[in-house]
Amino acid sequence: MTDKFVWVILFCTCLSNKLVAGLQPPEQPKTLVAKRLTSSLKIDGFINDAAWKDAPLATGFVEFRPNPSALEAYTNRTEVYILYDNTSIYIGGYCHEQSGDSVSRELVGRDRIGTNDFVGVVFDTYNDKINASGFYVTPLGEQYDAKYSNTGNNNEDGSWNAVWYSESQIVKDGWQFEMRIPYSALRFSSKGTTWGLNITRRRNKTGQQYSWNPISPTINGFINQEGLWAGLHNINPPLRLSFSPYFSTYVNHYPYNTAGTKNFTKSVNGGLDVKYGINQNYTLDMTLIPDFGQVQSDKKVLNLTPFEVKYDENRPFFTEGTELFNKGNLFYSRRIGGEPLHKYDVYDRLAPNETVIDNPSETKLINATKISGRNSKGFGIGLFNAISKPMYATVENNVTLEKLKYQTSALTNYNILVLDQTLKNNSSISLINTNVLRSGKDYDANVTAAVFNFNDKKNIYNWNGKVAVSNQRSSLSNVTGYSHNLGFGKSGGRFNFQVAEELANEQYDINDLGILFNNNYIDHYVYLGYKWVKPKNWYNNLYLNINNSLSQRFQGGTYQSFNFNTNINGQLKNLWNFGIQMNYTAAGNDFYEPRNKGRVFKKGSAVGGGLWFSNNRVKKYTYGTNLNVSFKKMFNGRSSNLNFFHRYRFNDKFSMGQDIAYSPFYNNVGFADIVASTNEIIFSRRKRNTVENSLNVKYNFNKNSGISFVTRHYWSEVTPNQFYTLDNTGHLVQNNSYNKNQDFNLNLFNIDMIYTWQFAAGSFVNIVWKNSIAGSDDAVAKGYFKNLNNTLGTSENNNVSLKILYYLDYLSLKKKK
């Protein structure tokens, strides 16, 4: 570490010691005594069964948002009862209101919250204060579930799904609910008699959220602020074995209108998902012959940067229950089933009179398997494995009509191993290994990392870091790289800070199973933050942040960039949210934009700012905007991004929303071309316009079925005004002889229309219509509506599919038999 970096750490530590006095130690956690259910109980949403009358009662909820520590009003009190038996946990509750009209409710579909009130029960089954599972129900009986961890940046995994049961009823003075959570939905030890427990309730019309055991926003983490559910006896983890066979069929139409090529194609598929509890702690998930054809379409964009675009993962198997595999940020699941390694090499091998007639853009999976879990001592294991098929491009000789196959991707095995140990004080240490093995002559890749996250006894200060080594090996080469990051900060109290150093040498590469945009850097970060969490005259809360980053080349030590940002955001008394930010980027050295190793582009400085706001989300008509502007010193460039969204809720079932973004950029400077004959690097000063327009419509018939319609039109145009040659010093020299047409116009249009029916617990019927249009050329069509009109007149691909997924639980089948 540099001397300046050490002084920053000492300064922040001394400053935080002055401010830590305001941090109050947590009170003793509340305790609810567990009681066994001895009679029958019907899950219908009404808590009128005799069993509830003698059940332990959790009440006396405390507000944590927006007014921490305020007691719940008696007229809006929350009463929750919990029972258990040999198979399940039963939760019933009464959320009191002045009237039933005070309840905020909307049908939005499973795993969504929307504008709903809700009640959630969060269980820390090992009482380790770090990991938990949450089960939420809305006034109309819809479910949301999630896994939680106090370690890492994203501590909520909403993609996790369990099979459980719930019903709700709106009554004249509030709403009631009942839940049954089978033990098969949880991981626990039969030896544990005390679990961590918290219950939370949201009243959306007032913006209030309560918890049974108090939660302080000035204390790092919330699982460590749970109460206790004590006195559990004689419960054993059940045999967890379930099967989810699926059947799917697809019909696709694209107007090739070419002899020998069909406009219509169809396919029929079948496969199986298996979930098996190896023991009470660890679970195996396997998908055989997976089918991801119905997942949401990617939001593709025009990419002018030297780096790839990172797309969201929408495939359920790769999003659900992957919190262990995301440790250390070494796993980018889109690599599995992604683009073949040698997809573009086939074009360099074409002989005269040969044409590529088929070149798959995705590899196909044979199967994928996950084993994950954690024992009663906090030791977690994650094992992930996937195998993809060899892929081939088809080349046709235009004279002889002979067809040849060229391999673009070898048979490939992807493997991840994670060992994670939770420690005292919300701390943990992990070892992660990712491995990619390819058959044949292609190289193999391996990355190993150790990750730690330590908190002091009072959970105020934090030390974190990672050390990683990568290796790529083939018969011709063996390349090993290194990376580390180290951080220290204060995470408790109203004043927080974080100082960190991160570096990677030039050989470090995780891109075979992870994603890393560039290497060979040493970066330093400083974050300072202060929060006002008690409501005042005009606001409910405020957060002030200051961020700085300095980047240099690790090998060579050359300065790259310096960035400064400050922002303040919060919530007003009328439940509007807002934010204001300012940023400055110093002049720097860009080693990636030239697209040529060893060359550099001298970038100019930039200054900018922005603001955003949104109104109260519980209103029928909600809206908000986000405006950012930036002024570049080079060529007086200026850019802006204006995003506006609005949504209207017609009733509890039907809503419609639009999101539109307009991003003009004047005198944008960037890479344009490399002249093959001279290796001359050409840059352009150009005008860029981008418009992204999305429309979302949804109608839910009931809590188990609904239809959604999402359409997106993306238009981006690039018009160069002047070309330049990048000289050897990194500066631009005007080039009046380069005359290649670099105008570019891109239009992308997608429709995803989905009907979903959950006909039984964990079982679904999905009917999906997908429409996609892509058009690009060098004839820039002026105007958004002209582009939209031209796009809708272009050849389109239509795909209609039906998929039936049926959930079979072994214990239920055995009981019925």
Side-chain angles (χ1 to χ4, degrees), residues 253-496:
H253 174 264
Y254 184 83
Y256 291 103
N257 298 326
T258 303
T261 303
K262 296 180 180 179
N263 289 343
F264 279 95
T265 58
K266 56 185 178 181
S267 64
V268 176
N269 310 284
L272 178 70
D273 292 345
V274 179
K275 189 180 289 286
Y276 172 61
I278 300 172
N279 55 32
Q280 64 187 23
N281 303 310
Y282 302 103
T283 302
L284 179 146
D285 290 277
M286 178 179 290
T287 180
L288 303 173
I289 318 176
D291 174 16
F292 303 119
Q294 291 190 332
V295 299
Q296 187 75 30
S297 300
D298 287 330
K299 295 182 178 180
K300 295 185 178 180
V301 297
L302 174 61
N303 182 21
L304 297 180
T305 74
F307 310 114
E308 66 177 306
V309 178
K310 184 179 181 180
Y311 289 107
D312 294 336
E313 177 61 87
N314 296 317
R315 299 171 296 177
F317 185 84
F318 295 100
T319 59
E320 181 185 343
T322 56
E323 66 277 0
L324 272 175
F325 303 108
N326 291 321
K327 294 272 186 180
N329 295 320
L330 299 178
F331 181 36
Y332 177 45
S333 57
R334 292 294 296 261
R335 297 292 185 216
I336 301 173
E339 189 174 86
L341 184 65
H342 301 294
K343 177 184 176 181
Y344 300 103
D345 294 355
V346 64
Y347 298 99
D348 298 328
R349 300 168 60 183
L350 288 177
N353 298 320
E354 287 186 344
T355 303
V356 177
I357 61 173
D358 183 39
N359 193 2
S361 59
E362 295 179 349
T363 55
K364 291 185 178 180
L365 282 179
I366 298 174
N367 61 53
T369 304
K370 295 181 294 190
I371 297 175
S372 62
R374 191 178 299 275
N375 65 20
S376 59
K377 296 182 179 180
F379 182 63
I381 297 177
L383 178 62
F384 178 95
N385 186 270
I387 300 174
S388 63
K389 296 174 63 175
M391 301 303 295
Y392 297 88
T394 304
V395 175
E396 183 179 65
N397 188 298
N398 301 328
V399 179
T400 65
L401 301 182
E402 180 186 8
K403 293 181 180 179
L404 303 173
K405 297 282 189 179
Y406 289 96
Q407 189 176 83
T408 57
S409 180
L411 177 71
T412 306
N413 179 278
Y414 302 89
N415 186 72
I416 305 173
L417 173 65
V418 182
L419 305 177
D420 179 73
Q421 178 65 59
T422 59
L423 305 170
K424 292 181 179 179
N425 309 320
N426 290 357
S427 301
S428 67
I429 187 168
S430 310
L431 179 70
I432 307 102
N433 177 265
T434 69
N435 199 355
V436 179
L437 299 174
R438 300 181 175 94
S439 64
K441 298 180 180 179
D442 282 331
Y443 70 90
D444 301 326
N446 186 285
V447 180
T448 302
V451 180
F452 68 88
N453 186 61
F454 298 149
N455 295 291
D456 70 333
K457 190 178 247 186
K458 294 183 178 180
N459 198 24
I460 296 174
Y461 293 99
N462 173 269
W463 295 261
N464 59 83
K466 178 177 74 174
V467 177
V469 177
S470 68
N471 179 262
Q472 292 180 339
R473 178 183 300 229
S474 70
S475 59
L476 300 177
S477 66
N478 186 356
V479 180
T480 300
Y482 169 80
S483 173
H484 81 239
N485 59 271
L486 300 170
F488 170 71
K490 178 175 177 287
S491 52
R494 293 173 61 186
F495 171 72
N496 307 124

Side-chain angles (χ1 to χ4, degrees), residues 164-176:
W164 51 288
Y165 307 87
S166 64
E167 291 290 345
S168 299
Q169 301 290 342
I170 297 175
V171 294
K172 64 179 181 179
D173 61 342
W175 61 287
Q176 302 179 15

Side-chain angles (χ1 to χ4, degrees), residues 672-673 718-720 723 738-744 777-780:
D673 194 12
V718 181
T719 309
F723 293 105
Y738 183 85
N739 57 9
K740 187 176 179 180
N741 185 2
Q742 292 285 0
D743 291 357
F744 192 76
D777 53 45
D778 59 7
V780 177

Side-chain angles (χ1 to χ4, degrees), residues 780-798:
V780 177
K782 302 298 181 184
Y784 172 77
F785 290 101
K786 185 174 182 180
N787 273 271
L788 177 60
N789 185 62
N790 291 344
T791 301
L792 295 178
T794 305
S795 297
E796 55 189 306
N797 189 83
N798 283 283

Side-chain angles (χ1 to χ4, degrees), residues 439-719:
S439 64
K441 298 180 180 179
D442 282 331
Y443 70 90
D444 301 326
N446 186 285
V447 180
T448 302
V451 180
F452 68 88
N453 186 61
F454 298 149
N455 295 291
D456 70 333
K457 190 178 247 186
K458 294 183 178 180
N459 198 24
I460 296 174
Y461 293 99
N462 173 269
W463 295 261
N464 59 83
K466 178 177 74 174
V467 177
V469 177
S470 68
N471 179 262
Q472 292 180 339
R473 178 183 300 229
S474 70
S475 59
L476 300 177
S477 66
N478 186 356
V479 180
T480 300
Y482 169 80
S483 173
H484 81 239
N485 59 271
L486 300 170
F488 170 71
K490 178 175 177 287
S491 52
R494 293 173 61 186
F495 171 72
N496 307 124
F497 75 84
Q498 179 78 207
V499 289
E501 175 185 271
E502 182 175 353
L503 69 82
N505 68 6
E506 194 170 4
Q507 292 74 38
Y508 184 67
D509 190 345
I510 65 171
N511 282 314
D512 292 277
L513 197 46
I515 186 166
L516 180 70
F517 295 116
N518 62 277
N519 51 23
N520 191 18
Y521 62 84
I522 178 168
D523 296 345
H524 292 99
Y525 307 93
V526 177
Y527 160 83
L528 304 172
Y530 195 83
K531 50 193 173 187
W532 293 263
V533 295
K534 285 281 189 180
K536 297 297 182 183
N537 294 333
W538 57 277
Y539 66 83
N540 285 330
N541 52 62
L542 287 175
Y543 301 87
L544 173 66
N545 305 291
I546 298 174
N547 307 275
N548 297 276
S549 66
L550 172 67
S551 179
Q552 297 172 277
R553 299 274 271 184
F554 175 63
Q555 289 161 282
T558 309
Y559 160 76
Q560 292 192 115
S561 63
F562 172 78
N563 297 284
F564 170 85
N565 173 271
T566 182
N567 66 85
I568 186 168
N569 61 85
Q571 186 183 68
L572 304 178
K573 279 290 189 180
N574 60 1
L575 303 186
W576 283 47
N577 295 293
F578 77 96
I580 303 171
Q581 64 95 11
M582 294 183 295
N583 57 77
Y584 169 73
T585 301
N589 297 304
D590 189 334
F591 293 92
Y592 309 101
E593 189 65 21
R595 313 307 205 266
N596 194 316
K597 188 175 180 180
R599 301 295 297 273
V600 65
F601 168 50
K602 300 286 186 179
K603 295 181 66 173
S605 61
V607 62
L611 59 89
W612 62 267
F613 69 85
S614 61
N615 74 333
N616 186 347
R617 292 295 182 94
V618 81
K619 301 288 186 182
K620 277 186 173 294
Y621 180 61
T622 60
Y623 55 89
T625 189
N626 188 335
L627 172 64
N628 290 284
V629 295
S630 181
F631 301 93
K632 321 287 184 182
K633 185 175 181 180
M634 180 171 286
F635 299 118
N636 293 319
R638 60 192 187 278
S639 64
S640 59
N641 178 269
L642 174 63
N643 178 278
F644 175 74
F645 71 86
H646 60 140
R647 174 178 178 267
Y648 190 79
R649 182 163 44 91
F650 296 91
N651 52 45
D652 295 347
K653 297 182 177 181
F654 179 43
S655 67
M656 180 182 297
Q658 183 189 29
D659 193 314
I660 185 166
Y662 174 51
S663 305
F665 198 155
Y666 302 97
N667 289 333
N668 170 234
V669 179
F671 173 84
D673 194 12
I674 295 180
V675 180
S677 58
T678 62
N679 285 328
E680 186 178 16
I681 300 175
I682 304 297
F683 273 55
S684 68
R685 175 171 56 86
R686 58 208 180 193
K687 176 184 176 182
R688 287 197 62 185
N689 272 329
T690 300
V691 178
E692 184 174 4
N693 190 5
S694 299
L695 177 68
N696 303 269
V697 182
K698 70 92 182 166
Y699 186 89
N700 287 77
F701 303 99
N702 51 52
K703 72 171 189 174
N704 293 319
S705 67
I707 190 167
S708 66
F709 176 89
V710 179
T711 183
R712 172 182 181 260
H713 176 225
Y714 174 90
W715 166 54
S716 189
E717 64 169 358
V718 181
T719 309

